Amino acid sequence: MKSKHRKTLAQIFARPASGNIRWNDIESLFKNLGAEISEAEGSRVRVFLFGEIRVFHRPHPSSVTDKGAVESIRKWLDENGAAQ
């Protein structure tokens, strides 16, 4: 895993949840973990990873992911053994 992805993973698992993670960095991490990402309606993004599909809202107009989404992503990665 590239250092960029390790840094993003560390930000996701930081406590308290970070409000400064760019969505593009999270998408890049998902792809590095083997995810298939597709667009859904509006700003929704469908992520197929760990044999399941999760839908997230791409932040706009800002590119920064909100803390609630970061916590949801953290929980999903942790449940599937992708923790740092």
Side-chain angles (χ1 to χ4, degrees), residues 28-75:
S28 180
L29 173 65
F30 284 156
K31 289 176 185 175
N32 184 260
L33 293 172
E36 294 176 25
I37 298 175
S38 60
E39 301 295 322
E41 303 90 37
S43 62
R44 292 180 185 91
V45 178
R46 205 176 292 116
V47 180
F48 179 73
L49 184 63
F50 309 123
E52 60 184 300
I53 296 174
R54 294 285 174 110
V55 178
F56 298 99
H57 286 86
R58 180 177 283 130
H60 60 84
S62 170
S63 62
V64 177
T65 309
D66 69 57
K67 291 179 182 184
V70 171
E71 289 174 357
S72 175
I73 292 165
R74 176 194 305 142
K75 182 178 178 188

